Amino acid sequence: MMRCQDVTHLATDFLDGSLPWHRRAAFRMHLLMCRYCRTYLDQMRETLRRLRRLPPEPVPPSTKEDLLRQFEQQ
Amino acid sequence: MRTTGLAVSEPGDDDARLVERLRARDKAAFAALIDQHHQTLVRLALAYVHEEATAEEVAQEAWASVIKNLAGFEGRSSLKTWIFRIAVNAAKTRAAKEKRSTPFSALAPEEPGDEVDPARFNDSGMWSAPPAAWTADDPEKRLLRAEAMEVLARALDELPAAQRTVVTLRDVEGEDAPTVCNILGITESNQRVLLHRGRTRLRRALEEYASERSP
C-alpha cells in the first residue's frame, strides 16, 4: 500500500509519466482514496503551470544594445 | 508560450521561419530572442561560474557566438536548444579557466527542503499536517496571483544552482528530459532527482505564501 510520503517522493515521476505501470496504478489508487494527496498533486501542477508562465526578467538595456549592435555589424 | 508575444521558441516551422529572419538580419527577431532567453543563459552560466557578473559576461559571449555561428545552424535541434548548448559550452570554458569543478559532476546529497518535511507525516507515512487547498475565489485573486508569481520567481532564484538549472530548462523553457540531460551532460536519474528536489521546494514556497495569506 502506497503511503502519502511515497506520493510526495514520486510526484515528479508520476507527472513525467516515468513510473512503471504497477507503481503508477498504486499511485492512482492512493489518489482516489486520499484527498490530501490530491491537493498536494494539484498544487504541484499549479506550481508547474505558473513556472511556464513566468515572465522573463528584462535584459539589462546596455547588454541588449551591445548585442543588437553586434548583430547588425555581423 | 512566453510573454514577448513573438513565437520564438517553437520547434518546426516557426523555428525555421525565425532562423530565416535572423539570417536576414531581422533586428526585431533577434531582440525578441534575447528578451526571451537571456535570463536562462545567465542561469545556465550561474550553474558553473557562481559570480552574477561573470555569468552575465558568459551569457553575452554565448550570444556573440550565436550571432557568429547562425549560418552554421543546421536545425538538428530546436534553435533554443542549440543556443543553450552554446551557453553551457561557454560557461564550461570559463569555469575551466577559473578552475572550478562543474556542479553536475556529482549529485549533492539530499538536504533538508529537498523533500516534504518528514515531520508532516505520522509513523505510517500518512499526512499528519496535510497541505491546505489554495483557495483563489476571492476579490483579491488577481493581485494575489501576480504576487505569487513574484514569490515563485524569487524562490526559483534561490534554488541550489543545479536544481535551478534543471527546473529552468524543463519547466520554464519547456525542454524535455532527454534534451536537458544532453545539454547538461547529466544522467536521466540525476536529472529526475534535481527536478524533483527543485519542484518540491518551489511548491513549498507557494504553500508558505498561501498560508501567510490565510491565517
Side-chain angles (χ1 to χ4, degrees):
Chain A
M1 163 75 186
M2 194 173 278
R3 309 168 313 155
C4 301
Q5 200 167 10
D6 302 327
V7 166
T8 65
H9 289 323
L10 297 173
T12 290
D13 290 351
F14 176 76
L15 292 173
D16 259 16
S18 58
L19 282 183
W21 71 268
H22 58 284
R23 299 282 274 170
R24 189 166 186 84
F27 194 103
R28 282 190 185 284
M29 187 63 81
H30 182 103
L31 283 186
L32 277 177
M33 294 182 302
C34 179
R35 69 188 170 97
Y36 295 141
C37 284
R38 284 200 298 275
T39 298
Y40 183 85
L41 208 68
D42 282 347
Q43 292 178 350
M44 197 54 110
R45 287 199 181 98
E46 178 64 21
T47 305
L48 302 188
R49 255 196 303 276
R50 290 181 186 200
L51 278 171
R52 271 197 296 278
R53 290 192 200 129
L54 214 54
E57 262 172 43
V59 181
S62 61
T63 302
K64 198 168 164 179
E65 277 167 33
D66 198 38
L67 289 170
L68 286 174
R69 205 173 313 118
Q70 286 183 49
F71 181 73
E72 280 181 316
Q73 284 165 3
Q74 183 70 26
Chain B
M1 176 86 65
R2 306 288 292 283
T3 54
T4 45
L6 189 66
V8 294
S9 60
E10 305 301 317
D13 281 355
D14 285 348
D15 223 24
R17 235 188 330 261
L18 174 62
V19 172
E20 225 169 84
R21 287 175 66 192
L22 291 169
R23 284 178 179 155
R25 299 291 136 197
D26 182 334
K27 203 170 151 186
F30 188 63
L33 196 65
I34 302 174
D35 281 337
Q36 188 152 20
H37 300 302
H38 183 71
Q39 195 184 10
T40 296
L41 264 51
V42 174
R43 287 210 186 109
L44 279 174
L46 263 180
Y48 297 88
V49 299
H50 303 260
E51 297 282 339
E52 186 95 32
T54 317
E56 268 288 340
E57 279 174 33
V58 170
Q60 288 185 46
E61 278 170 34
W63 284 119
S65 178
V66 166
I67 295 170
K68 219 169 83 189
N69 294 299
L70 210 47
F73 172 70
E74 291 173 337
R76 277 186 295 204
S77 64
S78 73
L79 181 68
K80 70 176 178 184
T81 302
W82 180 71
I83 295 173
F84 298 156
R85 280 209 192 93
I86 289 178
V88 166
N89 284 337
K92 279 182 176 168
T93 306
R94 180 67 73 102
K97 269 186 209 153
E98 293 179 356
K99 298 195 169 36
R100 288 190 181 277
S101 63
T102 67
F104 301 105
S105 49
L107 187 63
E110 190 181 307
E111 284 185 32
D114 283 338
E115 292 289 353
V116 176
D117 184 356
R120 296 184 62 174
F121 302 96
N122 62 24
D123 290 343
S124 331
M126 302 300 178
W127 289 106
S128 55
W134 297 340
T135 52
D137 301 324
D138 57 66
E140 285 181 297
K141 196 168 151 186
R142 283 203 160 171
L143 186 67
L144 291 186
R145 208 171 269 165
E147 221 174 76
M149 290 303 264
E150 283 168 30
V151 169
L152 186 61
R154 215 167 28 245
L156 178 60
D157 277 335
E158 285 166 4
L159 286 183
Q163 293 177 21
R164 183 179 54 224
T165 307
V166 172
V167 171
T168 299
L169 289 175
R170 285 291 313 274
D171 295 336
V172 182
E173 292 285 358
E175 295 282 26
D176 62 20
T179 304
V180 171
C181 293
N182 186 283
I183 291 173
L184 299 175
I186 58 177
T187 63
E188 166 62 29
S189 75
N190 279 11
Q191 189 269 158
R192 280 207 331 251
V193 170
L194 290 168
L195 182 67
H196 175 67
R197 290 175 179 176
R199 285 178 174 179
T200 302
R201 285 175 184 272
L202 295 178
R203 189 210 64 89
R204 187 175 43 254
L206 288 176
E207 179 181 47
E208 281 167 8
Y209 169 75
S211 70
E212 280 165 22
R213 296 289 317 178
S214 49

